[in-house]
Amino acid sequence: MLKEISCPYFKTGGHASNNIQFHKGLNVILGASNGATSIGKSTALLIIDFAFGGSAYAGSNAVSHLGSHSINFTFEFDHPYQFSRDTARPNEVVQHQADGSTTTMPLQDFTSWLATQYKLNYEKLTFRSIISRFFRIYGKNNYDEKHPLQSMQSESQAKAIDVLVALSGYYEQMLPLRELLQAVKEKSKAFQAARKYQFVPSAVTKESTYKENLQKISDLNEKKFQLESQSNGAINDSELKKANLIDELQHKLYEARLRLQEKERRLHRINLNLRLGVRPTEADLDTLATFFPHVNLEKLTNIEQFHNKIQAILRDELEAAKTEVERELPPLRNDVLQIQKQIESITPSMAYSKEFLTAYSRIDRKIHQLEDENKIYLQGKEIAEEKKRTTAYCEENSQILLHKIEKSVNDKMEEISDFISEGKNISPIMRLLSNNKYTFETPNDTGTGTNYRGMLTYDFSLLKITKLPAIAHDSLLFPHISDENLSKIIELYASEKEKQIFIAFDRYNNYGDHAAKLLKEHTVLTLDSGSQALFGSQWGTKNDSER
């Protein structure tokens, strides 16, 4: 737990050592009875959040006025651990050893250490992503009373539900379901991409085409049978392979010759441009003057000088292009030669005519093509069915776990709500509709005070029934709630004995003697206006000379 925070800039009244001591249960930052503002209540909570690895304090108004400074803090688990963080280097944490030595670590390592100490180590979830949403402090913008599960409005509902699942102790059961579903989705996506880019046959996309292919295959097999009958028997496999290979090589030869011819034509165009150029001669200009007596030959000459410069640049580029094409030609010629040699090396059978083998091999290849297309179509259907089955299985089992969490939270919220309202008010209800969607509301009541009360009820419920180690509630969350309900909420906070609750509170005399007594008993820091503010002054007020 957080044991102590200190800072040389604190002006905390009776705390001469400029430190704040904390304990298990409720820890109150108590403001003025008249509700004085800008005295450091929210800032004190941000500093607590800073000790838990948060970063909002580093950009706060306090740092703007005071400049960079260090916050020292101590956590106590099996024994005390002392640390410090400088607002100028918020991504580093310094650990202080008993012998005076120090060790600097990245902030991520520190928060991972906290996760281990609080037993909140989860794959793909950080300590801050879990705890930050429950430190509802002005400046963090995480107090949307209508969506209390999310740390901020921009966070997805799926991420918020992930945190709830982890805190509830079901993450290890839920993660394999998520991974299984993700794997089958990626498999389906990869298969669709392979078809899109034609890495596999993609001609058959529906059942009707599949059946048409079956009929074509049947017809082609009949043609094969007829050819075999004409040749007095089945075709020898080796002869068929030869015929197929010759046909394939001839197709490759055709493509290789096309590539070679294109390069040769390009080389011819380059040589033509190099030989002819585009420069007009002196005779060309004289002829032009004959037909157009008033033409400005001097201007044309100047223009032509510019063209000459351009021509020199183009010539260099043409020479480079010529060199490149000449380098590419020999391999292309060699390709053509090698394919021709391969074709010549295959000795056709004397038992079958060339025409017969060509016709037979083309039918055979077409049959294999259609069979491959149908095979891929059936494979796609199988993957789609697998995705459908896996999705149903994962969603069904995930929903069972979500329902357990939902019931546990709702039961606890109802218990807490009955305590706060003495059984008068309807409890807030959370519905986990899926892995990525939830609702949170108090039936028949959408008032602001009800929504804030629901959010505090949710936080305290999770503190009681999950691994959540601490919550922090700023004073801005309380004014919307009735005095009667708020008095019971204070009593509820004070009942916690094991985990930590940090709250900022003012006007403590407005909620009855019992509530005021509890607040005073659990106060760790008292703040007021003027010199009794957290840092000894209120930056928003005028000094004597200004007044």
Side-chain angles (χ1 to χ4, degrees):
M1 71 168 189
L2 181 64
K3 185 67 176 176
E4 178 184 274
I5 289 179
S6 65
C7 173
Y9 288 106
F10 285 168
K11 306 293 182 185
T12 54
H15 301 280
S17 60
N18 294 325
N19 63 34
I20 308 169
Q21 299 290 327
F22 301 98
H23 46 257
K24 290 182 179 179
L26 178 61
N27 296 265
V28 180
I29 312 296
L30 194 63
S33 59
N34 64 357
T37 60
S38 300
I39 58 177
K41 300 187 303 296
S42 298
T43 301
L45 289 181
L46 284 179
I47 292 172
I48 292 171
D49 181 63
F50 193 65
F52 275 89
S55 298
Y57 177 68
S60 69
N61 196 35
V63 177
S64 298
H65 281 85
L66 298 172
S68 299
H69 55 276
S70 289
I71 299 294
N72 307 304
F73 49 96
T74 301
F75 277 91
E76 187 170 62
F77 296 104
D78 52 337
H79 63 83
Y81 297 85
Q82 295 182 328
F83 303 92
S84 66
R85 279 181 78 189
D86 195 303
T87 58
R89 297 180 297 280
N91 293 323
E92 296 178 356
V93 177
V94 178
Q95 182 172 4
H96 300 263
Q97 309 294 346
D99 60 4
S101 62
T102 61
T103 304
T104 301
M105 70 182 83
L107 176 62
Q108 184 177 351
D109 289 357
F110 170 69
T111 53
S112 295
W113 177 81
L114 282 179
T116 300
Q117 299 302 316
Y118 282 117
K119 296 178 173 58
L120 291 175
N121 284 314
Y122 301 104
E123 185 181 351
K124 299 179 182 179
L125 289 178
T126 65
F127 176 76
R128 285 301 303 174
S129 72
I130 295 171
I131 200 166
S132 178
R133 68 194 63 240
F134 298 101
F135 278 44
R136 305 187 191 273
I137 308 167
Y138 181 76
K140 283 172 58 66
N141 298 318
N142 62 346
Y143 35 85
D144 181 357
E145 75 281 8
K146 296 180 181 179
H147 304 91
L149 274 68
Q150 289 155 268
S151 64
M152 58 187 69
Q153 289 185 350
S154 61
E155 182 183 53
S156 69
Q157 293 195 6
K159 181 65 177 293
I161 293 172
D162 278 350
V163 171
L164 177 58
V165 169
L167 285 172
S168 301
Y170 291 100
Y171 196 72
E172 285 76 11
Q173 293 171 254
M174 186 72 80
L175 190 61
L177 296 174
R178 300 274 181 86
E179 291 176 342
L180 178 62
L181 184 57
Q182 183 64 26
V184 76
K185 285 181 177 179
E186 289 178 357
K187 181 179 180 181
S188 176
K189 186 177 179 181
F191 179 78
Q192 295 302 326
R195 299 197 69 176
K196 177 180 177 181
Y197 295 106
Q198 299 182 346
F199 296 142
V200 296
S202 58
V204 181
T205 58
K206 51 188 178 181
E207 189 71 16
S208 60
T209 309
Y210 170 77
K211 291 179 178 178
E212 289 173 5
N213 273 6
L214 289 178
Q215 184 59 50
K216 290 178 182 177
I217 291 170
S218 177
D219 294 342
L220 289 168
N221 277 321
E222 178 63 26
K223 289 183 179 181
K224 274 181 66 177
F225 176 75
Q226 292 174 0
L227 285 173
E228 289 170 355
S229 299
Q230 295 171 9
S231 66
N232 300 319
I235 304 301
N236 183 281
D237 283 345
S238 63
E239 295 303 324
L240 183 59
K241 288 180 181 178
K242 286 182 182 180
N244 285 334
L245 181 56
I246 290 172
D247 197 58
E248 181 182 342
L249 288 172
Q250 285 175 339
H251 181 70
K252 287 184 177 180
L253 180 61
Y254 173 75
E255 291 182 338
R257 283 173 173 166
L258 284 180
R259 290 192 294 271
L260 176 60
Q261 289 168 4
E262 173 56 31
K263 289 295 179 184
E264 288 175 338
R265 284 195 295 270
R266 187 180 178 198
L267 180 61
H268 176 71
R269 290 193 299 270
I270 292 172
N271 286 330
L272 194 63
N273 285 330
L274 286 170
R275 186 172 67 254
L276 299 179
V278 294
R279 301 178 186 178
T281 63
E282 186 176 348
D284 292 330
L285 294 176
D286 290 340
T287 303
L288 182 65
T290 301
F291 287 98
F292 300 97
H294 303 293
V295 69
N296 190 335
L297 292 178
E298 182 180 356
K299 188 171 184 180
L300 285 176
T301 302
N302 291 336
I303 293 173
E304 195 51 41
Q305 288 176 351
F306 171 74
H307 286 169
N308 290 340
K309 294 178 181 178
I310 296 295
Q311 184 69 20
I313 296 172
L314 291 175
R315 186 173 186 85
D316 290 341
E317 292 182 355
L318 287 170
E319 290 287 358
K322 179 181 178 180
T323 301
E324 178 65 18
V325 173
E326 288 176 338
R327 184 186 64 80
E328 294 171 346
L329 277 171
L332 293 175
R333 290 179 178 134
N334 186 60
D335 287 346
V336 171
L337 182 62
Q338 292 303 319
I339 295 172
Q340 287 174 331
K341 287 182 178 179
Q342 283 183 277
I343 294 173
E344 292 168 359
S345 68
I346 300 173
T347 305
S349 171
M350 300 302 293
Y352 308 102
S353 68
K354 178 181 178 183
E355 292 76 12
F356 173 83
L357 286 173
T358 300
Y360 192 90
S361 66
R362 286 178 179 174
I363 290 174
D364 188 69
R365 282 201 309 277
K366 185 62 178 179
I367 290 172
H368 285 303
Q369 175 193 333
L370 295 173
E371 287 176 340
D372 287 344
E373 289 176 358
N374 277 5
K375 180 182 177 182
I376 293 299
Y377 170 72
L378 292 176
Q379 187 178 352
K381 283 186 66 175
E382 183 181 342
I383 290 174
E385 285 297 321
E386 181 188 7
K387 181 181 177 183
K388 184 178 179 180
R389 291 193 306 270
T390 304
T391 300
Y393 171 80
C394 292
E395 288 181 351
E396 179 182 353
N397 285 274
S398 294
Q399 204 58 46
I400 292 172
L401 298 178
L402 293 176
H403 180 70
K404 290 180 180 179
I405 297 168
E406 178 186 291
K407 186 177 187 308
S408 176
V409 174
N410 284 336
D411 286 350
K412 193 63 180 179
M413 288 199 298
E414 184 174 12
E415 176 189 328
I416 291 170
S417 180
D418 285 345
F419 175 83
I420 293 172
S421 67
E422 298 180 339
K424 298 174 185 177
N425 296 330
I426 297 174
S427 169
I429 295 177
M430 176 188 68
R431 295 289 183 224
L432 300 177
L433 305 178
S434 67
N435 284 322
N436 56 18
K437 188 175 182 181
Y438 77 89
T439 62
F440 190 97
E441 62 179 351
T442 300
N444 305 320
D445 191 346
T446 58
T448 303
T450 298
N451 289 335
Y452 272 94
R453 186 178 69 238
M455 180 169 63
L456 301 186
T457 301
Y458 169 76
D459 286 2
F460 193 78
S461 296
L462 262 63
L463 187 73
K464 297 301 291 183
I465 65 174
T466 73
K467 298 179 181 180
L468 182 65
I471 60 175
H473 290 160
D474 205 346
S475 57
L476 66 89
L477 306 179
F478 303 128
H480 305 283
I481 302 172
S482 70
D483 292 357
E484 182 182 14
N485 286 167
L486 195 51
S487 177
K488 298 296 287 183
I489 288 174
I490 294 167
E491 188 176 339
L492 193 69
Y493 285 156
S495 69
E496 176 56 41
K497 303 301 180 185
E498 293 302 317
K499 298 181 179 181
Q500 288 188 294
I501 301 174
F502 307 97
I503 69 169
F505 209 92
D506 52 21
R507 304 182 191 275
Y508 59 92
N509 289 325
N510 293 3
Y511 306 100
D513 293 341
H514 182 57
K517 181 174 180 293
L518 289 175
L519 289 168
K520 282 286 191 178
E521 286 176 354
H522 292 85
T523 294
V524 297
L525 176 63
T526 302
L527 301 174
D528 209 326
S529 56
S531 62
Q532 295 301 309
L534 180 62
F535 295 107
S537 64
Q538 292 171 272
W539 297 303
T541 61
K542 296 180 180 180
N543 56 37
D544 292 339
S545 62
E546 288 173 326
R547 285 196 294 271

